[in-house]
Amino acid sequence: MTTSTALDRFYSVIPAGGIGSRLWPLSRADAPKFLHDLTGSGQTLLRDTWNRLAPLTGDQRIMVVTGRAHRKAVEEQLPELADHNVVLESEPRESAAAIGLAAAILELREPGVIIGSFAADHVIHRDDIFRRAVAEAVEVADAGYIVTVGIRPTEPAIGFGYIHSGGKLDVPGAPSALTVESFVEKPDQATAKRYLASGHYLWNAGMFIARADRILEEIGRSEPELLAGLLELAAAWDDPATRGPAVDRIWPKLKKIAIDYAVAEPAAAAGRLAVIPGLFDWDDVGDFASIAKLHSGGRKRDLAILGENARVLADSSSGIVISEGGRTIALIGVEDIVVVDTADALLVTTSANAQKVKAVVDALKLSGRTDVL
Amino acid sequence: MTTSTALDRFYSVIPAGGIGSRLWPLSRADAPKFLHDLTGSGQTLLRDTWNRLAPLTGDQRIMVVTGRAHRKAVEEQLPELADHNVVLESEPRESAAAIGLAAAILELREPGVIIGSFAADHVIHRDDIFRRAVAEAVEVADAGYIVTVGIRPTEPAIGFGYIHSGGKLDVPGAPSALTVESFVEKPDQATAKRYLASGHYLWNAGMFIARADRILEEIGRSEPELLAGLLELAAAWDDPATRGPAVDRIWPKLKKIAIDYAVAEPAAAAGRLAVIPGLFDWDDVGDFASIAKLHSGGRKRDLAILGENARVLADSSSGIVISEGGRTIALIGVEDIVVVDTADALLVTTSANAQKVKAVVDALKLSGRTDVL
């Protein structure tokens, strides 16, 4: 006789959405961030994410929530992905709807299921440490908490939200679990330094592990209409005759809200949120400066070069070149530069301006140049 | 009865050689600088040069010395160019050989001819003032001088050589003619400022006007072997049966030397050089910083955009973008940047580094990537 452990009831959910506007012109509507290799691993971030999770749950217990337009690319990346584990959004409606729908579908199929949601486009080094942290999180989730894995900060970053951790939680199998005092927004530099020095703050990496019923319960408390829509949609999901009409009717009306606001912050405020400190390297590669840092090993004087057929000639230049086309690229005396060279679009900026790339995408939209978006 | 004036005996020579390595990747071996429109005039620098000279001499009295590889492109640009006015170099041998051969051929055809040599890839505003200066120079040339048109400097440029002018010359029809004390090499900044303040220094724009026999005489004094080769080649030139073999035999052995060294400097030292101050805007557009300046009207905060189909989106950036391909180019927060975007090569540098572009070309040669040269 075998005993069912919490980990046996664990199911991974990968929300693969978001274009990654700050990574234009690399990321596009038809080639979003998660379909790129930004680490030089030789495979896409989505595939990296799958490979990180599969040892925890097996291939059959990973669900991917993605846009209809990306179905083909996702299935090409993940040939092991089972049909019933593909949840297609007819249009993007943010993370509470995406993860909430996965929770509702899985809870109906398998009451008591524990789900863990992990973005398709983050970078992690030391998958083994990541998996040990998730395994602890699953134990804490089984005890009824909403659990997050917070990353132990290595610098006073101002580009991430933070998790203010509290005292130790006493949950068997989860020796490093802590209570959470609060979620805090991206800080200014001085505040970030204070957070780092205190030792009580972790980066919010948007990883949530919880029993599906607990996630739905939290959504119901903060967004009852959203919950009602998700439950109605989930009830229609597994019947081919009812799914389509339900999606068309319900999905476009669901409230757009991040899971941080709908679930994590209220749960934290009510003392129902726990955190496992993640002692692995993590980055959300949110902009080109972050990719540059990833490749420079922290050395500011380096020039990182990405692209299979990159032909780059550089003289006393630093920063990052991403080359998609294989054209010869010459850099002379440019510092902290960001050059992204694709077939139909070229970006030239600096690390310091990397966050402003989204504004270009907005400007292109406004000017009707959607062919390069 | 009509009287032959000096100007009636004037013949223009356009040496159309030199790739313009500092303008890579715009200028290439097969698309040198003179075949580009760098001013936004809508036509190439070569065509601009022709149009500037034709009112002085007529279409039938302009000779072009160029490389065999450029014959077709030159003839497309200049449909009026007569066959006997095309002098093809089998390989580049610098300006003394190119201009000396033109002088030798024309002197044989038309003894007493006065020639004026003007680069195919310089930019001049106010062609009318230019032509008046050349007309004066022709009068001084007829009196036996080697004459140059020196540009009145508008700033203490360190990228040009200077002409140190002396007292007034008394030549009828040339009221502004001055003697030349010496030719001086590119100065440092302090020296350039002193030159500008003195009022006695002009920029050397490489324009030489003289009787063909006088040019040959000067070459013969400084480079007798070169003169012998040129005379032998010129004697064989106008017979189709002898030209080819003579070119093959003689041209590759001619000394490579600039006309400044073979003719102008020795003539200046001996008091046989005169100068007409040129009061027009002139630039040799030697690098991208110079093109940027040409288009910014001197305003440092501007972003100049060249290219018929340029699609540039820029936010608080300054410098120059040259777009050949029509790709969307986005610049964010880059100052004094130089971006040159062509089908197979991309250059990113700054105005301050513009002179180093030649080093890239050298490095590409060394690394065997001659496909983009």
Side-chain angles (χ1 to χ4, degrees):
Chain A
M1 184 184 129
T2 57
T3 318
S4 158
T5 67
L7 204 54
D8 290 337
R9 279 175 286 124
F10 184 55
Y11 220 102
S12 293
V13 175
I14 305 177
I19 292 167
S21 293
R22 280 181 305 236
L23 294 180
W24 181 90
L26 189 65
S27 279
R28 306 287 183 104
D30 61 354
K33 186 179 153 198
F34 61 83
L35 292 176
H36 290 274
D37 167 19
L38 300 181
T39 64
S41 73
Q43 52 195 27
T44 63
L45 294 178
L46 174 63
R47 184 70 225 183
D48 284 340
T49 303
W50 179 281
N51 289 355
R52 188 178 305 125
L53 294 168
L56 274 174
T57 56
D59 290 340
Q60 295 304 303
R61 294 178 69 83
I62 307 181
M63 176 173 270
V64 176
V65 186
T66 193
R68 280 180 184 166
H70 304 132
R71 175 182 203 156
K72 191 157 167 284
V74 165
E75 290 179 344
E76 274 171 14
Q77 286 297 309
L78 310 174
E80 309 95 322
L81 177 63
D83 271 356
H84 66 273
N85 277 332
V86 180
V87 173
L88 294 178
E89 303 172 313
S90 53
E91 56 177 280
R93 296 217 75 77
E94 299 232 0
S95 56
I99 298 167
L101 178 58
I105 294 170
L106 290 171
E107 176 66 17
L108 274 184
R109 289 184 191 164
E110 187 178 316
V113 68
I114 297 169
I115 70 168
S117 165
F118 307 95
D121 55 8
H122 292 179
V123 169
I124 285 172
H125 286 139
R126 298 296 307 267
D127 288 356
D128 53 334
I129 306 181
F130 163 80
R131 284 190 290 262
R132 282 203 296 274
V134 174
E136 284 198 54
V138 169
E139 296 299 330
V140 181
D142 197 34
Y145 287 90
I146 308 288
V147 193
T148 184
V149 177
I151 315 300
R152 192 163 62 178
T154 51
E155 57 174 337
I158 59 169
F160 307 135
Y162 284 70
I163 297 160
H164 184 190
S165 63
K168 273 187 77 69
L169 257 188
D170 187 21
V171 175
S176 57
L178 303 171
T179 61
V180 170
E181 300 280 318
S182 62
F183 269 64
V184 289
E185 300 279 341
K186 298 178 184 179
D188 60 25
Q189 194 71 62
T191 308
K193 283 183 180 164
R194 215 172 57 239
Y195 288 172
L196 186 65
S198 81
H200 294 301
Y201 287 82
L202 300 160
W203 287 335
N204 175 11
M207 301 175 185
F208 294 105
I209 300 98
R211 289 197 332 245
D213 62 353
R214 285 285 298 114
I215 288 183
L216 297 171
E217 186 187 338
E218 294 290 346
I219 293 177
R221 274 192 187 135
S222 60
E223 302 289 344
E225 281 185 43
L226 175 57
L227 177 67
L230 293 173
L231 293 178
E232 193 185 344
L233 195 44
W237 196 264
D238 280 336
D239 181 343
T242 56
R243 182 193 297 183
V247 167
D248 292 346
R249 192 179 69 250
I250 301 164
W251 187 256
K253 292 183 188 152
L254 295 181
K255 181 167 178 179
K256 284 187 171 183
I257 182 170
I259 193 149
D260 299 67
Y261 303 130
V263 172
E265 292 189 3
R272 295 186 297 265
L273 205 111
V275 64
I276 307 293
L279 309 186
F280 46 86
D281 285 340
W282 165 89
D283 202 303
D284 72 349
V285 278
D287 61 31
F288 290 115
S290 143
I291 300 180
K293 209 172 61 183
L294 210 63
H295 287 263
S296 71
R299 289 182 304 277
K300 253 223 154 185
R301 306 299 309 168
D302 280 11
L303 180 69
I305 298 171
L306 270 83
E308 240 176 282
N309 304 308
R311 302 175 75 189
V312 178
L313 206 72
D315 160 31
S316 71
S317 294
S318 59
I320 186 164
V321 177
I322 301 182
S323 164
E324 282 211 315
R327 298 193 308 159
T328 294
I329 300 176
L331 304 189
I332 308 173
V334 280
E335 304 274 338
D336 261 330
I337 199 86
V338 172
V339 174
V340 184
D341 184 42
T342 73
D344 59 354
L346 167 68
L347 170 72
V348 179
T349 185
T350 63
S351 299
N353 286 284
Q355 287 278 324
K356 293 187 196 153
V357 172
K358 193 174 177 303
V360 169
V361 173
D362 294 342
L364 287 168
K365 265 184 208 153
L366 278 175
S367 66
R369 296 195 204 162
T370 48
D371 55 316
V372 292
L373 293 179
Chain B
M1 184 186 131
T2 58
T3 319
S4 158
T5 67
L7 203 53
D8 289 337
R9 279 175 285 122
F10 184 54
Y11 220 101
S12 292
V13 175
I14 304 176
I19 292 168
S21 294
R22 280 181 306 236
L23 294 182
W24 180 91
L26 189 66
S27 279
R28 307 286 184 103
D30 61 355
K33 186 179 152 197
F34 60 83
L35 292 176
H36 290 273
D37 167 19
L38 301 181
T39 65
S41 73
Q43 51 195 26
T44 63
L45 293 179
L46 174 62
R47 183 71 225 183
D48 284 340
T49 303
W50 179 279
N51 289 357
R52 188 178 304 127
L53 294 167
L56 274 173
T57 56
D59 291 339
Q60 295 305 303
R61 293 178 71 83
I62 306 179
M63 176 172 271
V64 177
V65 186
T66 193
R68 281 180 183 166
H70 303 133
R71 175 182 203 156
K72 191 157 167 283
V74 164
E75 290 179 345
E76 276 171 12
Q77 285 297 308
L78 310 174
E80 309 94 323
L81 177 62
D83 272 357
H84 66 272
N85 278 332
V86 179
V87 173
L88 295 177
E89 304 171 313
S90 55
E91 56 178 279
R93 295 218 77 76
E94 300 232 359
S95 57
I99 298 166
L101 178 58
I105 292 169
L106 290 171
E107 177 66 17
L108 274 184
R109 290 185 189 164
E110 187 178 316
V113 69
I114 297 168
I115 69 167
S117 165
F118 307 94
D121 54 9
H122 291 180
V123 170
I124 285 172
H125 286 140
R126 299 294 309 268
D127 288 355
D128 54 334
I129 306 181
F130 163 81
R131 283 190 290 262
R132 282 202 296 274
V134 173
E136 284 199 54
V138 169
E139 296 299 329
V140 182
D142 196 35
Y145 287 90
I146 308 287
V147 192
T148 185
V149 177
I151 314 301
R152 191 162 63 178
T154 51
E155 56 174 336
I158 59 170
F160 307 135
Y162 283 71
I163 297 160
H164 184 190
S165 63
K168 273 188 77 67
L169 256 188
D170 188 21
V171 175
S176 57
L178 303 171
T179 61
V180 170
E181 299 280 318
S182 63
F183 270 64
V184 290
E185 300 280 340
K186 297 178 185 180
D188 60 25
Q189 194 70 61
T191 308
K193 283 183 181 164
R194 216 173 56 240
Y195 287 173
L196 186 65
S198 81
H200 295 300
Y201 287 82
L202 299 159
W203 287 335
N204 175 11
M207 302 176 185
F208 295 105
I209 300 98
R211 289 196 332 244
D213 62 353
R214 284 285 297 115
I215 287 182
L216 297 170
E217 187 187 337
E218 294 291 345
I219 293 175
R221 276 191 185 134
S222 59
E223 302 290 344
E225 280 186 44
L226 175 57
L227 177 66
L230 292 172
L231 294 177
E232 193 184 345
L233 195 45
W237 197 264
D238 281 334
D239 182 344
T242 55
R243 182 193 296 183
V247 168
D248 292 347
R249 191 178 71 250
I250 301 164
W251 187 257
K253 292 183 188 152
L254 295 181
K255 182 167 177 178
K256 284 186 171 182
I257 183 170
I259 192 147
D260 299 67
Y261 304 130
V263 172
E265 291 189 4
R272 295 186 296 264
L273 205 110
V275 64
I276 306 293
L279 309 187
F280 46 84
D281 285 340
W282 165 89
D283 201 303
D284 71 349
V285 278
D287 61 31
F288 290 114
S290 143
I291 301 180
K293 208 172 61 184
L294 211 61
H295 287 263
S296 71
R299 290 182 303 278
K300 255 224 153 185
R301 306 298 311 168
D302 280 12
L303 179 70
I305 298 172
L306 271 83
E308 240 175 284
N309 304 308
R311 301 175 76 189
V312 178
L313 205 73
D315 161 32
S316 72
S317 295
S318 60
I320 186 166
V321 177
I322 302 182
S323 164
E324 282 210 316
R327 296 194 308 159
T328 294
I329 300 176
L331 304 189
I332 307 174
V334 280
E335 304 274 340
D336 261 330
I337 199 85
V338 172
V339 174
V340 184
D341 184 42
T342 73
D344 59 354
L346 167 69
L347 170 71
V348 180
T349 185
T350 64
S351 300
N353 286 285
Q355 287 279 323
K356 294 187 196 155
V357 172
K358 194 174 176 302
V360 169
V361 173
D362 295 341
L364 287 168
K365 265 183 208 155
L366 279 175
S367 66
R369 299 196 203 161
T370 49
D371 55 317
V372 291
L373 292 179

